[in-house]
Structure formats: structure tokens, C-alpha cells
Amino acid sequence: MSTRTIIIDAMRRVASEQKKTLAPLEDHTQLLDIGLDSLCFAILVARLEEALSVDPFGLSDEVELPVTLADFVRFYEKALV
Amino acid sequence: MTVPRLADIARTIVADRDGALDLGPGSRGCASGATVFGNAGHSLARRSVLIATRTQRAAARAMVDLDGLVGRMTIAPPDLTHQDLASVLADAAVETIVTDDPAAYAGLTPSVVALGSSTATAGDARRDHDTQWVMLTSGTSGRAKIVAHTLAALTGAISPVRAVDPGAVWATFYDIRRYGGLQIFLRAILGGTGLVVGSEGEPIGDHLRRLGAAGVTAVSGTPSHWRRVLMSRERGAMAPATIRLSGEIADQIILDGLRTAYPRARVSHAYASTEAGVGFAVDDGLEGFPARLIDEPTASLAMKVIAGTLRIRSNRAATGYIGQAAASGGMTTLADDDGFIDTGDMVERRGGRCYFTGRRGGIINVGGLKVNPEEVEAVINAHAAVRMSLVKARRNPLTGAIVVADVVLSDGGCDEDATRTAIVEDCRHRLERHKVPVLVRFVPALALTPAGKISRTDG
């Protein structure tokens, strides 16, 4: 499964558990407009760390936080290399 | 230190999404000494008053007008629940509620004075009293704690009014009805600068564009507030010269993120709490704080670490708790015999630097919301298949921490996935959402202390 698919599946699961409605998930969709609040993102990042064994936010040289969905996927892909 | 009455010095313009409010004397449209409450101002003198407003602007107006006039001014936070309202009215012995929403408080025992409904006519309301300022702080469970301050203590960390910088504009992501936001409000009033506040339900992008348009020069918020800013495409809409973080542990990730996004800004993180007041600010861009702050006490700040938690003695500390937290309606002092307040924040010293490692008793801070692990454990332990559980914090880049649980099953043979789902479902039904464990891990055993309690030291 691609990183993108894993991330989008995880987003859908968090949204459904937290009773949030997701915006259409396009590459250019801004994370803050996706329909997930801070707690949802916190859960998402924790789940992805379990699934992918990586926390790109914790890497010291990564200081540019992702803004769009495509940024977010790239953020994880880079950390997985 | 004597602090002038806010009404005598205020010239701040407070702006939110819906407009701006001039707190200066000209805007009050009346002689010095008058109040926006008109003749009601007389009856408010020396009273115990609750400020409960829909907007921060209205609260700002009321605080400026009531300082020096009323005996006790309790400031209701924006999310005060009906349950908490009843206990606050009783504990703070509230006689009058000042509000921009009088219908919401009709039928209660205290009288209600509507803010802004009357034109000021009384020119002789005398502000000759040192008003007690009272704030609410969220407890970990049950009732909010009610904390009393003097204006001198609240403003103790704000340097004396300097030559006013006409270009300075402060903004805060906090609500000014909480300690962190009130600091910025008072800073703006004492410094004679503008202040931009948030509006309920405003998207972060709109808020940032508004801050940019207002030309804000200094902005404060919690690390969680700032993480949201850094995730917004509009983060470049403002260019503050000063960035301030407080209220949660500022880790290296958020400090580095801010330095990258705002290379010209001076980024400082402050340690403050409603009870202990403003402790200190650090602006070297590194997490933690220099150990010399502990080793070299000053007249205004002394700190020590006892049993792993930080204790602070400062002239900015609260006077005490009032109401139920106090013995019998009086005031409980917060400090020990030497004047130190136990902050409950755990500190670890490594070389010349001290680092915050969390809260004593394992209290977990999820994006500013506190979680008592024992409350969550009680829900998990109620499950038939569970022998015991340990709920603890796990570091998280978005909310600082999240809640996770280690669970020991009483019967090794049960279906783990089904049990995990059932535990989480139970938690969702019975707990607020930030208290529900994000990860549930099954472990063979939990470490116990010599006293037979679950060990919480390795959280």
C-alpha cells in the first residue's frame, strides 16, 4: 500500500470515529480545511507513527510544517526514505 | 508597586473580527470618573461582580471600567458551564453579574447589569478601591478553582510604562479572560498600545490575515496555538517582531519551526500559571531554561525544585484560592511557610539547563486540556476482561501530548482486538474526547512501587 493510501485511510478512520465530515481529499486541500481539528490530527499522527514506525514531526531537521495534503504525504515519504 | 486605575490610563483600541472598541476616556463619552454603567455604576461600588460576556471586547470594556470601583471582579472564561456558574456565584459571593447578554442570566439570585445598554450620565463614580481580580483555572476534574489576584501582582512582570511605542500592536491567540490572555490585555493597557483579539469560530487563516492587516508587532499564544499557525498557508500574512509562547511546554520543534517561519522575530517562551503568576521568560531559542534562574534568585523571583517539582516565590503570585478550595469561604494561601508555591510541574536538570518533563501525578496536558489518568483508568478497569491499567502521556507534535493506555488483561485467552475496541468504545461513551486513549496496548504486567501502587515514574 502506498504511503498516500495509508495516510488517507487513517484520515477517514479518524474522521469517522470523531464524527467529522472530511472535505474532498485533493492534493492541494489545506490540512486546516480538511475537517479535522487539532485533536484529530494528534490522533492521526500517533496512528501513523504506529503504522509506519516514523514520526517526521520529531525529526530535528524538519522544521517546515506541511500545509496541504500533498505536503503531508511528502513529509512522511521523505521521513521513510 | 502602585498601579494606576485602568480607566485613568486606558487608551487601547481592542479589535476583533466584528470591529474595534476604543477603551480610551474619549470613547466613554463622559466626564472622567463616569462609567458605562451610568447610574448603575453607583450601586456597583465595592460589590462582588462577575463579568460574563459573549465577546472579549465587552469583557475588556467592563474590566477597564470596573477596576477600582468594585470590591471583587470575577472574570468568567468563555466556556464557563452552567454547573460551574452556580458554584462560582456561590464561592465568589457574586452580588451582580455584568454582561452583554442579560437574558442569559435572568432569574438568578445576583442582580444583572447590562453592559453598554445605558449611556453614562453619572460623573462621580469614585474608583478609590483596590479591586480584587479573580480568575478561574481549570481543575483536572470537577469544579474550577477560583484564584484571587491583585492588579499589582497581575502586572508585576510588565515593565513600568515606557515611552509609548505608537507603532506597537499586541495580539494574542489566548482569550483575554484567561490568565495568559489577561497578561497581554494588561500589557496593552499599560503600554498604551493596540490589541487584536480572536473571535469565536473564526478560521485560523482569516485570523492571521486580520493580524497582518492590523500590523501586529507582538503575538502571544500557547505552543498548540502556534502549531496551528505554522500549519496554515496564511502564516506569512503577519510579520511580528516578537513572538511569545506560554501555557504549555515549548519544545525544540515548535521553537525551530517559529524561527524558520519568522526569521526576524524574537521568539521567547515564558513560564507562567494562574496561581504562580509569570515566572520567567527565555529567549535564547532553546527549550527548557538556564539553571542559573534557580541558582541565582532575585528579589522578584526565587525558584527551587523539591521532589522533582518546581516551586516559585514571586511578587506576581496569586493571593490565594477563594470559595470551595478554601477552608470556610475565606481564602486559602497557596504558598508554603517560605512563600513558595508548588507549581506541580516536574523539572529535570541536565547540566546547566532545566527541562520540563510533565505534571506531577501524571496529569496529562492534551493541547491545554488536563487529563487525570486515574479517571481514565477507572473507566478501563470497569471492563470485565481488564485486571489493571496504566494511563499515561505520549509526546505528540500537535497537542504536546496524547493519552495512551497499557492494559493488563485478567484472562490471556480473550480476543485482544475485540477487547481493545470495547475498551475504547466504553471510554468514548463515558469520557470527554481528549481523555479517550488513542492507543491501547496490552502488556503482561505493570510495575508497582514499594507501596503497591502503580508506578507512574516512567511516563
Side-chain angles (χ1 to χ4, degrees), chain B residues 324-335:
Chain B
Q324 50 94 29
S328 56
M331 201 172 321
T332 316
T333 50
L334 297 148

Side-chain angles (χ1 to χ4, degrees), chain B residues 169-435:
Chain B
V169 180
W170 273 92
T172 175
F173 296 112
Y174 279 107
D175 194 290
I176 62 167
R177 293 163 285 185
R178 300 185 192 286
Y179 187 86
L182 184 67
Q183 279 294 313
I184 303 305
F185 171 70
L186 293 171
R187 209 168 265 271
I189 299 281
L190 264 59
T193 68
L195 175 67
V196 185
V197 297
S199 292
E200 205 183 319
E202 183 178 30
I204 180 80
D206 294 357
H207 193 173
L208 290 171
R209 273 194 298 275
R210 202 157 57 74
L211 297 185
V216 295
T217 57
V219 185
S220 92
T222 64
S224 290
H225 288 139
W226 283 109
R227 285 184 197 102
R228 281 184 69 75
V229 170
L230 291 185
M231 287 179 69
S232 169
R233 185 174 272 165
E234 307 298 333
R235 63 193 176 197
M238 62 172 183
T242 301
I243 286 176
R244 206 174 159 86
L245 302 92
S246 61
E248 291 172 298
I249 300 170
D251 59 27
Q252 202 59 49
I253 303 169
I254 186 68
L255 293 172
D256 289 349
L258 286 168
R259 196 181 49 207
T260 305
Y262 302 103
R264 281 193 293 275
R266 192 178 71 100
V267 178
S268 71
H269 53 103
Y271 177 82
S273 77
T274 308
E275 286 97 335
V278 177
F280 54 87
V282 178
D283 59 5
D284 58 10
L286 300 174
E287 64 182 347
F289 61 92
R292 65 173 162 72
L293 289 176
I294 291 180
D295 299 337
E296 301 164 18
T298 66
S300 61
L301 178 72
M303 301 195 290
K304 57 186 181 183
V305 178
I306 292 182
T309 66
L310 184 67
R311 297 188 183 207
I312 290 187
R313 183 176 67 199
S314 118
N315 56 2
R316 278 98 72 171
T319 323
Y321 290 123
I322 61 172
Q324 50 94 29
S328 56
M331 201 172 321
T332 316
T333 50
L334 297 148
D336 64 16
D337 291 344
D338 296 327
F340 283 83
I341 290 177
D342 187 351
T343 64
D345 286 315
M346 311 273 293
V347 166
E348 196 180 291
R349 186 170 182 154
R350 274 174 256 148
R353 198 93 181 161
C354 295
Y355 300 89
F356 290 104
T357 56
R359 297 279 303 167
R360 183 186 39 224
I363 299 296
I364 304 164
N365 187 334
V366 180
L369 300 167
K370 290 177 194 154
V371 180
N372 183 345
E374 278 147 333
E375 182 188 1
V376 184
E377 285 161 9
V379 174
I380 297 175
N381 294 347
H383 200 275
V386 173
R387 173 169 295 148
M388 62 199 297
S389 60
L390 171 66
V391 166
K392 54 187 184 178
R394 176 160 156 171
R395 202 177 152 123
N396 187 279
L398 281 310
T399 50
I402 52 161
V403 174
V404 299
D406 284 351
V407 174
V408 181
L409 294 171
S410 45
D411 169 16
C414 74
D415 178 344
E416 290 198 351
D417 282 343
T419 308
R420 181 182 288 114
T421 307
I423 289 172
V424 173
E425 276 305 308
D426 278 354
C427 291
R428 284 211 182 106
H429 277 119
R430 296 177 51 191
L431 298 168
E432 292 155 83
R433 56 194 286 262
H434 64 279
K435 296 179 178 171

